[in-house]
Amino acid sequence: MLGKLRKSVAKLPFHESNLALKQVKCDACMEEKGVCKCDNGGIEGMVMTEDAADQQARSGNSSFLHAVLNMSGMLIGLGQLSTPYALENGGWGSVFLLVGLGFICTYTSHVLGKCLDKNPKSESFADIGENAFGRKGRVLTATFIYIEIFMALVSYTISLHDNLITVLSGTRIKLPGVPNLHTSQLITVIAVLIALPSLWLRDLSSISFLSSGGILMSLVIFISVVCTAAFGSVEANHSIPFLHVKNIPAISGLYIYSYAGHFVFPNLYKAMKHPSKFTKVSIVSFVACTLLYTTLAFLGAKMFGPEVNPQITLNLPRHHFITKIALWATVLTPMTKYALEFAPFAIQLENNLPDSLSSRMKLIIRGFVGSILLLVILSLALSIPYFEHVLSLTGSLVSVCICMTFPSAFYIKLSWPHISKPILILNLCLIAFGSILGVHGTISSAKMLIKTLLRAHST
């Protein structure tokens, strides 16, 4: 029973979001007549036996509002910090790209729902990939998902480093054994080490609790920017250029990353009480997020002009109390994400370990591997502390495939006998557009990252 639950959880990919994990370990069970009754505090309902669990999986209990909140929580994250920077560098005309990508990603989320309708047994993004293209489809989609998770964690750590410098400006720390590390790097190492024990957690409900404040943190950042503009601390009087065509490939990755979340949408679909409303949920969620991104982008660009930072929180007046709240919200968010993002790796790793190993030994192995992985992420973040370039590369290299190319390709393959010609052309155009955007964006952001690294090492 527990093994089945853990394997089903292993199918659930996680993002930089606040989607609560729906399936948790049952610590105390009293089995009677095929029903396992669990009392886990925040968990609603009961964990059923295999047949009952399958029936429950087919009929979720998530309401329309709950689904909208979950999907919005999946979308709002690191991307919102960089939208003012992207708009300023791309010109105000690039907002049409931002909005257009919102429409496209709304459609591709609708397409994912259609793919799930084709095969009700599909429960995850990787399942859809396997249904469409076999085992190779599952491996490819899973690979892209884990690459995005890894690169997102690097971006989170860079964000943690940048905002800690601002929050703790003036602080000086020197350790005798590590003279080459600057104070900001030492503070980041300490922060990551504080978050490190969370990777040893096996109780998935505890991991879910760590990530539950994501939407609140995002709203705090948004409100901070609005209040800074509204109360006259910074005048929004900078002019925004119309269009910088040469910057479009690089900033397209930042825009695409803002809508990255599709690989969790199948789980949201399965959790809904009325899956037929999934398209409406997508429309409401993407419209809300697009409005938030657009508003934040124009506000930040108008307030700070060419001086706008890739992370808008770093532009806010440091002496304001609300700025300190926004900065701490940006600092705490990455520290709560490590365990949640590592969960798919940890569960898959533990499932692949020999059954002969004790539970304690499995815990030690997964904790050790997680610790090593986090230290690798920390090393990369400190070696490549260029938030906008890493985020843009992530969006162009990985997110565009997950958000645009893969869903359309899945839909064409699964619906081939019945798909109409206009819909076929539309999805083929999306695949082509996503491929062009991804290739050009990856080349552009990679070149900028390399140039920045070479410039930094030459000084």
Side-chain angles (χ1 to χ4, degrees):
M1 173 67 180
L2 179 57
K4 179 179 176 63
L5 278 175
R6 297 184 65 80
K7 288 178 182 178
S8 65
V9 174
K11 296 179 182 179
L12 299 179
F14 296 84
H15 199 249
E16 55 204 19
S17 67
N18 343 291
L19 178 64
L21 299 171
K22 298 297 181 183
Q23 294 170 302
V24 296
K25 185 179 77 171
C26 212
D27 295 321
C29 299
M30 296 178 59
E31 294 196 20
E32 181 181 357
K33 296 182 180 180
V35 177
C36 175
K37 301 177 181 180
C38 302
D39 182 12
N40 267 314
I43 303 166
E44 298 178 359
M46 297 180 293
V47 179
M48 306 295 179
T49 55
E50 293 189 9
D51 293 339
D54 291 339
Q55 182 178 359
Q56 187 183 47
R58 291 192 294 269
S59 56
N61 58 4
S62 178
S63 66
F64 180 87
L65 179 59
H66 191 194
V68 169
L69 290 175
N70 275 337
M71 184 175 288
S72 300
M74 290 305 306
L75 296 173
I76 301 174
L78 280 179
Q80 72 163 346
L81 297 178
S82 61
T83 51
Y85 172 85
L87 186 72
E88 169 63 29
N89 282 270
W92 66 262
S94 69
V95 76
F96 293 105
L97 176 61
L98 174 63
V99 175
L101 288 172
F103 278 112
I104 291 172
C105 290
T106 305
Y107 172 75
T108 53
S109 65
H110 160 76
V111 159
L112 284 177
K114 292 294 183 183
C115 292
L116 291 167
D117 289 339
K118 297 290 181 183
N119 191 339
K121 291 184 179 180
S122 298
E123 295 181 357
S124 68
F125 197 86
D127 287 344
I128 300 174
E130 185 172 15
N131 292 334
F133 298 103
R135 182 65 182 173
K136 291 181 179 179
R138 171 177 284 276
V139 172
L140 181 64
T141 53
T143 300
F144 271 75
I145 288 170
Y146 288 128
I147 290 174
E148 180 166 9
I149 290 173
F150 182 83
M151 294 181 73
L153 285 174
V154 174
S155 300
Y156 269 122
T157 308
I158 295 173
S159 176
L160 172 67
H161 171 260
D162 293 344
N163 284 275
L164 271 175
I165 295 174
T166 305
V167 170
L168 301 176
S169 59
T171 305
R172 295 287 180 270
I173 300 177
K174 284 292 181 184
L175 294 181
V178 282
N180 294 328
L181 285 181
H182 298 294
T183 298
S184 61
Q185 294 174 323
L186 283 173
I187 293 174
T188 305
V189 170
I190 292 170
V192 171
L193 291 178
I194 291 173
L196 190 61
S198 66
L199 297 183
W200 292 69
L201 290 173
R202 297 185 69 180
D203 186 351
L204 296 180
S205 60
S206 299
I207 295 174
S208 173
F209 174 76
L210 287 174
S211 67
S212 61
I215 293 180
L216 178 61
M217 300 290 186
S218 299
L219 290 177
V220 166
I221 295 169
F222 177 75
I223 292 171
S224 300
V225 177
V226 172
C227 289
T228 302
F231 297 138
S233 301
V234 178
E235 293 185 7
N237 56 4
H238 287 86
S239 61
I240 306 173
F242 170 63
L243 195 64
H244 291 305
V245 177
K246 64 177 183 179
N247 293 337
I248 293 299
I251 67 159
S252 65
L254 297 175
Y255 284 155
I256 292 169
Y257 187 86
S258 300
Y259 296 112
H262 284 58
F263 63 81
V264 181
F265 291 175
N267 307 121
L268 296 178
Y269 177 95
K270 289 294 181 179
M272 289 185 64
K273 186 185 299 183
H274 302 291
S276 60
K277 296 182 179 179
F278 180 76
T279 299
K280 293 182 180 178
V281 169
S282 300
I283 293 172
V284 173
S285 301
F286 275 96
V287 167
C289 291
T290 302
L291 287 174
L292 184 145
Y293 294 150
T294 306
T295 304
L296 191 62
F298 273 105
L299 271 179
K302 290 290 288 181
M303 288 164 59
F304 304 109
E307 303 300 320
V308 66
N309 196 282
Q311 300 179 69
I312 189 63
T313 50
L314 301 180
N315 279 114
L316 301 179
R318 299 186 184 184
H319 60 280
H320 282 184
F321 177 71
I322 195 167
T323 300
K324 298 183 186 300
I325 296 176
L327 287 170
W328 276 112
T330 312
V331 166
L332 293 175
T333 299
M335 295 180 66
T336 63
K337 295 294 183 182
Y338 293 125
L340 181 67
E341 300 284 357
F342 178 66
F345 296 100
I347 296 173
Q348 191 63 44
L349 171 65
E350 193 164 346
N351 285 338
N352 290 331
L353 291 175
D355 294 333
S356 58
L357 292 178
S358 65
S359 178
R360 180 181 178 82
M361 182 56 65
K362 289 182 178 180
L363 174 63
I364 292 173
I365 292 174
R366 64 177 275 172
F368 178 76
V369 171
S371 302
I372 295 298
L373 180 62
L374 187 56
L375 292 177
V376 170
I377 289 169
L378 174 63
S379 300
L380 281 174
L382 294 180
S383 303
I384 314 173
Y386 307 110
F387 178 81
E388 67 276 23
H389 301 321
V390 174
L391 205 65
S392 178
L393 183 61
T394 304
S396 298
L397 180 64
V398 187
S399 300
V400 69
C401 294
I402 294 175
C403 295
M404 295 174 58
T405 310
F406 286 173
S408 291
F410 295 160
Y411 183 62
I412 290 174
K413 185 67 168 62
L414 293 173
S415 305
W416 182 255
H418 311 290
I419 192 169
S420 64
K421 189 173 181 179
I423 298 299
L424 174 62
I425 293 174
L426 171 62
N427 283 276
L428 287 174
C429 288
L430 291 181
I431 292 174
F433 179 63
S435 300
I436 293 171
L437 213 59
V439 170
H440 282 279
T442 300
I443 293 173
S444 178
S445 55
K447 282 183 177 179
M448 292 178 68
L449 178 58
I450 292 171
K451 285 181 181 179
T452 306
L453 285 171
L454 292 176
R455 193 183 308 119
H457 285 292
S458 63
T459 56

